Amino acid sequence: LCSGAMVPQAPRFRLVVLCTGNTCRSPLAAAAFREELGADLERVEIVSAGTAAAEGQPASAGAAAAGARDGLDLSAHRARRLEAALLQGADLVFVMEREHLRAATALGADPDRTHVLSEWPSPGEPEAVVADPFGGSAETYEECLRRIRRHVRRIVPHVRAAARSRPA
């Protein structure tokens, strides 16, 4: 018999990924995090947004094509503008550029949990900046995704360990 009582779900680790328009870099990064986390994805909530996003826009054609060539499906993605509510309770916030870092902290992101993707964990790979590919060639988008994947692979073990350390 079901008593109707809901079993409280353990709080999931909350990861927010930000870029400018939320149509190229952050959707690619969110998809890469989802794929790389594998079975641990059930422990992690991944949200992407843009500091200047036009709500509801699909991923750019270039990002969708680069993602598809690399096994990532961005077809369901819709852009979302960064709001303070998205940052509340975030365990980690990753941004692509310092400008995004300022925007996120201005909206209340915890500065100790908000990092440029290429720079965390320290020392990171700050020389491997994830530049905005918007409007660029297929090669530009592919290079962007290569850099995102490199950073995500470096970061996921830390996210996985933190998510697994949450009480069940």
Side-chain angles (χ1 to χ4, degrees):
L1 270 107
C2 178
S3 66
M6 291 186 56
V7 176
Q9 186 176 356
R12 296 195 317 166
F13 189 90
R14 194 151 194 271
L15 178 65
V16 178
V17 188
L18 304 175
C19 69
T20 305
N22 192 217
T23 59
C24 300
R25 294 173 288 178
S26 55
L28 285 168
F33 272 113
R34 285 184 187 101
E35 181 182 89
E36 196 70 26
L37 279 163
D40 285 305
L41 183 57
E42 66 189 26
R43 301 171 184 265
V44 182
E45 175 189 6
I46 301 170
V47 178
S48 74
T51 58
E55 289 278 338
Q57 290 293 310
S60 72
R69 283 190 294 275
D70 204 38
L72 302 177
D73 181 6
L74 301 186
S75 62
H77 174 77
R78 293 299 174 264
R80 169 190 319 202
R81 183 179 289 271
L82 176 62
E83 298 172 347
L86 285 176
L87 298 167
Q88 290 175 351
D91 292 289
L92 279 173
V93 178
F94 289 112
V95 302
M96 302 298 153
E97 304 168 20
R98 295 217 162 265
E99 169 192 322
H100 306 135
L101 198 62
R102 288 189 283 279
T105 54
L107 283 173
D110 181 340
D112 295 331
R113 295 173 181 237
T114 306
H115 311 280
V116 176
L117 187 71
S118 61
E119 298 176 4
W120 193 87
S122 187
E125 296 182 65
E127 71 288 349
V129 173
V130 181
D132 192 349
F134 188 76
S137 66
E139 292 76 23
T140 302
Y141 280 95
E142 286 170 7
E143 177 59 23
C144 175
L145 181 53
R146 267 194 298 277
R147 288 180 183 216
I148 286 169
R149 283 214 180 260
R150 179 178 179 146
H151 297 312
V152 166
R153 284 187 192 109
R154 186 170 41 75
I155 291 166
V156 158
H158 301 277
V159 171
R160 182 175 281 129
R164 286 179 178 176
S165 71
R166 288 278 164 91

